Amino acid sequence: MEKVKVQNKREAILKATLKMVNNHGFHAAPMSMISKQAGVSPGTIYLYFENKEDLINTLYRELKAKFAEMIFSGFDSDMTVLDGFKVIWGNVLAYKCNEPEEALFIEQCDNTPMISDENKQKGYQAIQPLYDLWERGQREGVVKPFSRIMLFSFSLLPILYLVKESLRNETSLSTVDIENAFKASWDAISL
Amino acid sequence: MEKVKVQNKREAILKATLKMVNNHGFHAAPMSMISKQAGVSPGTIYLYFENKEDLINTLYRELKAKFAEMIFSGFDSDMTVLDGFKVIWGNVLAYKCNEPEEALFIEQCDNTPMISDENKQKGYQAIQPLYDLWERGQREGVVKPFSRIMLFSFSLLPILYLVKESLRNETSLSTVDIENAFKASWDAISL
Amino acid sequence: MEKVKVQNKREAILKATLKMVNNHGFHAAPMSMISKQAGVSPGTIYLYFENKEDLINTLYRELKAKFAEMIFSGFDSDMTVLDGFKVIWGNVLAYKCNEPEEALFIEQCDNTPMISDENKQKGYQAIQPLYDLWERGQREGVVKPFSRIMLFSFSLLPILYLVKESLRNETSLSTVDIENAFKASWDAISL
Amino acid sequence: MEKVKVQNKREAILKATLKMVNNHGFHAAPMSMISKQAGVSPGTIYLYFENKEDLINTLYRELKAKFAEMIFSGFDSDMTVLDGFKVIWGNVLAYKCNEPEEALFIEQCDNTPMISDENKQKGYQAIQPLYDLWERGQREGVVKPFSRIMLFSFSLLPILYLVKESLRNETSLSTVDIENAFKASWDAISL
DNA sequence: GATGAATGAGCCTTCATTCAT
DNA sequence: TATGAATGAAGGCTCATTCAT
């Protein structure tokens, strides 16, 4: 029970950081604001994190790890390449829709010098199973012989962007939109 | 000539802002640093811009305008849809390659609450001719009946991302890569 | 045995304080650092001392008391004034050489407003037997009719300073140096 | 005139630092307190000094330089050793009496890790003419063959301490005391 | 007695902005 | 116009102290 409380505090701080940085931007989210949002004293943050940079980096790392785990939910390397891709593609969509705040935070961080390169690198490695799937697809002759990054930018980046924009405009993607988007994604990278 | 000098000063400040914000990040680029880089006194910045936010927003707006202008260079609304798209797509690629600093700045701003939504909106309106082209393509039955944003995310976003990543890794895109990328872009949105 | 343990804890805290304050300076020796060095929880310090000021003052007081006790070791009020002075002078030298850390701490405190004047006063009173010796010397006509403080500053202060400097430079005082120093001390105050 | 104002500000800060550090101790003299005492904004201090450490070190350096200059006032290397020493000894006494605050500050700093060793070293070099005088005295056979530091600790340290104590007790040294003190100083180091 | 997580006042420092020149 | 010294609010962080266990 004691341990639970501690976990709660750490989690509360991370959650508050996510919210405050998303709403105000990194440099307009003071530690005092984060601590207040977390229901905690400013000094307490420094019991769990070395400094502000560490706080942000830790949050980024944990969110990326969670993302990497979620997108492979229900995925099995025995699936056909198309089926596997469909599962992962759907998971990416679902994550972005269900956890838009987390997704936004990750994106903000990716375009900022406040996340260490080492940390960013780790994020990419976490989706290795997807790279493996694509490579199998290339060996089987169903996926275009593109680099990982090209495959990513044509088959996953668009849907990530689409969801982000639909959330920003407070519109929603229709089932047809989603089907179309998946088809376009697959068309772009499949032979 | 006085006027020229004045223009020079304003330009110098904007240029310095671009450089400093790109290199150090927004919250680590103080006005004093920008003024020094511009060869100007801190107070002078306030003769041309209301405050730091205005400075950043102005720079963002002008870069977006320049971007919008450049991507339609050589474009003519009489062209076939495919030809027109090819010209614009190439211009986007060229801009991103030739002005990576400007492109990076724009992208940093797009994911940040420091640019007013109004300003962001204006950016989108500036590429109206591209929307017109797509609409014509849809009427002619050569472009998929997707929303603007879907067409954008499948046909232009990928190449923007690809160039950014290639610059980050200090690798370069081969001619074949580019041809493949264009083909994939067109495949994704054409019928 | 409980009592012993307790004494150990109190002693450990005082010892840690001495070490940390000497090595890092007063304002760079946090209670947490002292407690860790003492192998004790921060809260525990407050069971034995009211606050940091009290901790420092107590340590100062006890070290001064120890110093006062040591410098009269082997001294007997029946000795001639010269012999008595020789014993005490030698003890002062020995203390400074054998317990340089304690001596350094005392000196740091003497030049600081963090020790209460009352406490500093007590330190002077502890060397009463030396004052008595000097007074007897004056009555016997072998010691100059100087005030206590003048006698102290000419006959003991120099050797204290000399040892401190030799420790700082990591050089050592030769036997000849010491003999010379004693002679100069005695010359300065004797008739 | 502009320059004068600037000098005034810098001087005001240094003067305020001297006073506040003397009265409250280094760690209890916040920059805000110093700035208020100087009639200046906290930020202004950082226009003249890099940080608190630099402020303290600069003050120490300048006071030491002033001290070194003052103690040789009226001194001429053609004087006899005794006359020269008398002049310097008197100057030391005068400085300590007339500028007790400065002298106290220097002393506080000498026993603290907050002054860089380099800076302390410079202080010692500034009294070279005194060392030269002693060496001449040794060649002429009127000064004991002691090391510099021994000569200093027997002939100058006592009077420094005496004045300090007399100021602390708010008593004053009589003319007789001073004559006695000089005689004792000279006796201690002369042959 | 003993712990150590938690507190929050207060410190040093930065930096957007102003204003006298 | 242009300057840049000066400002002072605000931020990140520390650390003496407390209190529930």
Side-chain angles (χ1 to χ4, degrees), chain B residues 97-178:
Chain B
C97 290
N98 298 333
E99 308 290 358
E101 302 239 310
E102 300 185 6
L104 179 60
F105 181 85
I106 289 175
E107 202 165 354
Q108 262 195 65
C109 289
D110 278 326
N111 285 299
T112 266
M114 76 188 160
I115 299 291
S116 65
D117 280 340
E118 182 198 13
N119 241 348
K120 286 182 184 166
Q121 226 37 314
K122 278 185 192 160
Y124 291 114
Q125 294 163 5
I127 56 172
Q128 187 63 41
L130 175 60
Y131 299 149
D132 295 340
L133 182 72
W134 279 335
E135 273 168 35
R136 176 153 67 89
Q138 288 173 334
R139 283 197 305 275
E140 293 176 6
V142 299
V143 169
K144 289 178 183 167
F146 289 177
S147 65
R148 290 169 178 188
I149 218 151
M150 255 180 89
L151 292 171
F152 173 79
S153 65
F154 277 102
S155 67
L156 289 175
L157 191 62
I159 189 66
L160 289 171
Y161 182 77
L162 279 173
V163 177
K164 185 178 73 175
E165 285 303 307
S166 78
L167 290 168
R168 182 179 288 173
N169 307 337
E170 298 183 8
T171 61
S172 58
L173 294 170
S174 68
T175 319
V176 175
D177 287 336
I178 291 170

Side-chain angles (χ1 to χ4, degrees), chain B:
Chain B
M1 144 119 205
E2 260 294 289
K3 196 75 185 193
V4 170
K5 232 168 148 185
V6 161
Q7 276 307 316
N8 284 350
K9 230 152 223 173
R10 211 188 96 106
E11 290 315 307
I13 292 166
L14 287 169
K15 204 172 163 184
T17 305
L18 174 62
K19 186 169 178 181
M20 294 297 101
V21 170
N22 267 349
N23 288 358
H24 303 94
F26 173 75
H27 77 280
M31 296 297 261
S32 58
M33 185 189 267
I34 291 171
S35 74
K36 183 176 281 182
Q37 171 74 25
V40 145
S41 151
T44 303
I45 298 183
Y46 291 84
L47 296 176
Y48 296 96
F49 306 94
E50 265 181 56
N51 50 37
K52 193 175 184 182
E53 199 186 328
D54 179 44
L55 170 60
I56 301 283
N57 273 274
T58 301
L59 178 56
Y60 174 83
R61 213 181 316 117
E62 299 199 355
L63 291 182
K64 271 271 172 135
K66 181 181 164 190
F67 171 74
E69 194 196 326
M70 297 207 67
I71 67 168
F72 295 115
S73 144
F75 170 74
D76 188 326
S77 53
D78 293 337
M79 291 170 158
T80 68
V81 172
L82 176 54
D83 284 347
F85 179 69
K86 202 176 284 184
V87 167
I88 293 169
W89 194 93
N91 285 338
V92 167
L93 173 63
Y95 177 79
K96 191 88 180 190
C97 290
N98 298 333
E99 308 290 358
E101 302 239 310
E102 300 185 6
L104 179 60
F105 181 85
I106 289 175
E107 202 165 354
Q108 262 195 65
C109 289
D110 278 326
N111 285 299
T112 266
M114 76 188 160
I115 299 291
S116 65
D117 280 340
E118 182 198 13
N119 241 348
K120 286 182 184 166
Q121 226 37 314
K122 278 185 192 160
Y124 291 114
Q125 294 163 5
I127 56 172
Q128 187 63 41
L130 175 60
Y131 299 149
D132 295 340
L133 182 72
W134 279 335
E135 273 168 35
R136 176 153 67 89
Q138 288 173 334
R139 283 197 305 275
E140 293 176 6
V142 299
V143 169
K144 289 178 183 167
F146 289 177
S147 65
R148 290 169 178 188
I149 218 151
M150 255 180 89
L151 292 171
F152 173 79
S153 65
F154 277 102
S155 67
L156 289 175
L157 191 62
I159 189 66
L160 289 171
Y161 182 77
L162 279 173
V163 177
K164 185 178 73 175
E165 285 303 307
S166 78
L167 290 168
R168 182 179 288 173
N169 307 337
E170 298 183 8
T171 61
S172 58
L173 294 170
S174 68
T175 319
V176 175
D177 287 336
I178 291 170
E179 278 168 11
N180 282 335
F182 178 75
K183 196 166 178 317
S185 297
W186 182 247
D187 285 355
I189 66 167
S190 64
L191 283 167

Side-chain angles (χ1 to χ4, degrees), chain C residues 30-31 43 46 51-52:
Chain C
M31 296 296 261
Y46 291 85
N51 50 36
K52 193 174 183 181

